Amino acid sequence: MESSMKSLSSDFGLYFKSFNLFIERSTEHQCVEKFIDENLLDVVTSIGKKGVSCLNVLGVGSGSGKVDMKILGKIQSKHPGLPIHNEVVEPNPHQITKYKDLVKEKTQGLNISFTWNQMRSEEYEKQNKERKESRKFDFIHMIQMLYFVQSVPDTIKYFHSLLETNGKLLIIQAASDNGMHPLWKKVGSRFPTKSGFLGVLKVLDEMRVKYQLYEVSSDMDITECFIEGNDNGERLLDFLTDVADFRKTAPSDLKAEVLHNIRHPPCSREENGKILFNNNLHFIVVDN
Ligand SMILES: C[S@@+](CC[C@H](N)C(=O)[O-])C[C@H]1O[C@@H](n2cnc3c(N)ncnc32)[C@H](O)[C@@H]1O
């Protein structure tokens, strides 16, 4: 029975159906936009080596580029005279197509060029090492993507090593009290994905690098998960468990356990008849 479950994130089409619904039902992108509007200008003020003629930016796991475009706009507004070269590492071809469409729509008047790498971060690292390339970046971001990499410590260490003098690395990740942690601690060993809801802060502490941590409250309305046969509820359940068609393919005891856990603290709270899953976030800005 258990073996019939398939990982959601390995199915490019289905994953984004669930992810887009997560974005609609959560305050995630509002929080990210608020951070970009209120904190990013300060963060990017000091990037760029003295006398540089171009700023180099790298997005890892960029998805459809919605957040990346906002980040690029902010960097350009802080450094108006400087062209930006933006490199993208994203394995999902559909997302890259969407990102390219967005670029056509949004980059008029902005001096930004792009390089597209349709591949996983691990392949990007391997390719760079084989070519003995050591391109450096003034700003690198990894937004909600470290759950999917083979090794969180190796990925952070590699991309941190690509920072240029004065460069910054922005990581956005589930906070330590985010409901994903208790859920995956309890039943994660039964899901097909071996996700890294691992301590990013622990990795940074072990690397002895300097970082600033911003803790942001966010939630996700999962009320529809408790309406039998509700399609949105099914997609949200898939998102929480990273199982494609969780309700149809999971063994009944696992389904019951997941539904019980996501309905109660510490995963969720009830407010005005809604079940709100804790989606608190950590915004971490790492110095070179
Ligand atoms: C949760 S989405 C986040 C998308 C975007 N950063 C955002 O916050 O809107 C995670 C993204 O990471 C990508 N991804 C998954 N595994 C990856 C890997 N090993 N290397 C790079 N990107 C990866 C997925 O294709 C997906 O676009």
Side-chain angles (χ1 to χ4, degrees):
M1 257 313 252
E2 207 115 339
S3 59
S4 69
M5 288 190 290
K6 291 202 174 68
S7 151
L8 175 72
S9 47
S10 53
D11 182 324
F12 286 153
L14 256 193
Y15 178 78
F16 274 92
K17 234 173 148 183
S18 288
F19 179 71
N20 290 339
L21 197 65
F22 157 70
I23 292 300
E24 275 178 35
R25 294 289 181 273
S26 74
T27 56
E28 167 104 2
H29 272 184
Q30 287 91 315
C31 293
V32 174
E33 277 169 28
K34 192 163 182 277
F35 175 83
I36 292 172
D37 283 341
E38 293 177 5
N39 301 95
L40 198 70
L41 276 186
D42 282 347
V43 171
V44 299
T45 299
S46 58
I47 64 169
K49 251 170 48 176
K50 231 177 160 200
V52 284
S53 55
C54 174
L55 287 174
N56 288 296
V57 177
L58 173 65
V60 189
S62 294
S64 62
K66 220 175 133 194
V67 175
D68 297 32
M69 290 307 294
K70 295 221 158 77
I71 291 177
L72 290 168
K74 277 285 173 224
I75 296 177
Q76 187 110 83
S77 71
K78 194 71 207 177
H79 301 276
L82 280 180
I84 295 176
H85 183 71
N86 183 57
E87 208 164 309
V88 178
V89 178
E90 165 58 52
N92 185 329
H94 308 299
Q95 294 302 303
I96 296 221
T97 303
K98 282 196 176 165
Y99 195 158
K100 286 182 177 169
D101 289 345
L102 196 65
V103 167
K104 276 188 212 139
E105 205 184 292
K106 303 261 180 189
T107 47
Q108 265 191 351
L110 295 175
N111 195 356
I112 308 176
S113 56
F114 289 82
T115 298
W116 307 97
N117 301 280
Q118 191 208 307
M119 61 184 73
R120 298 170 58 87
S121 52
E122 294 85 352
E123 289 170 76
Y124 179 78
E125 176 177 349
K126 189 165 165 265
Q127 180 186 281
N128 276 352
K129 285 182 173 164
E130 279 169 4
R131 290 181 188 161
K132 298 196 172 30
E133 284 195 15
S134 57
R135 236 167 312 152
K136 299 275 177 173
F137 296 90
D138 301 294
F139 192 74
I140 301 176
H141 55 84
M142 298 194 285
I143 303 177
Q144 296 285 39
M145 60 74 62
L146 283 168
Y147 320 109
F148 308 106
V149 300
Q150 275 157 19
S151 161
V152 173
D154 290 352
T155 305
I156 295 179
K157 278 179 203 151
Y158 176 67
F159 285 98
H160 183 261
S161 79
L162 297 186
L163 284 178
E164 182 56 276
T165 309
N166 302 330
K168 304 265 186 200
L169 165 66
L170 170 67
I171 298 175
I172 304 181
Q173 190 79 356
S176 22
D177 59 348
N178 185 300
M180 286 293 202
H181 291 289
L183 174 67
W184 279 70
K185 200 168 167 204
K186 202 89 191 258
V187 282
S189 63
R190 296 186 66 190
F191 297 150
T193 311
K194 298 294 153 248
S195 176
F197 279 102
L198 267 177
V200 168
L201 296 180
K202 192 166 165 258
V203 173
L204 295 172
D205 287 337
E206 281 169 6
M207 285 169 67
R208 296 175 184 275
V209 288
K210 219 175 120 208
Y211 61 85
Q212 296 87 51
L213 170 66
Y214 303 76
E215 296 181 273
V216 176
S217 296
S218 171
D219 49 46
M220 166 188 185
D221 183 349
I222 58 162
T223 316
E224 288 158 306
C225 292
F226 304 97
I227 307 170
E228 190 82 41
N230 181 294
D231 191 54
N232 289 339
E234 314 269 290
R235 301 289 73 81
L236 292 172
L237 264 178
D238 291 359
F239 182 79
L240 291 169
T241 58
D242 202 45
V243 175
D245 262 328
F246 177 76
R247 211 191 270 271
K248 289 199 187 87
T249 59
S252 49
D253 66 315
L254 180 60
K255 250 183 294 190
E257 201 170 353
V258 165
L259 284 167
H260 173 80
N261 276 283
I262 62 171
R263 193 175 186 129
H264 299 103
C267 289
S268 296
R269 66 182 197 280
E270 203 169 331
E271 209 174 277
N272 302 325
K274 287 185 176 165
I275 312 291
L276 299 178
F277 190 86
N278 181 325
N279 183 52
N280 288 352
L281 298 166
H282 275 168
F283 290 65
I284 310 161
V285 178
V286 189
D287 291 349
N288 184 349

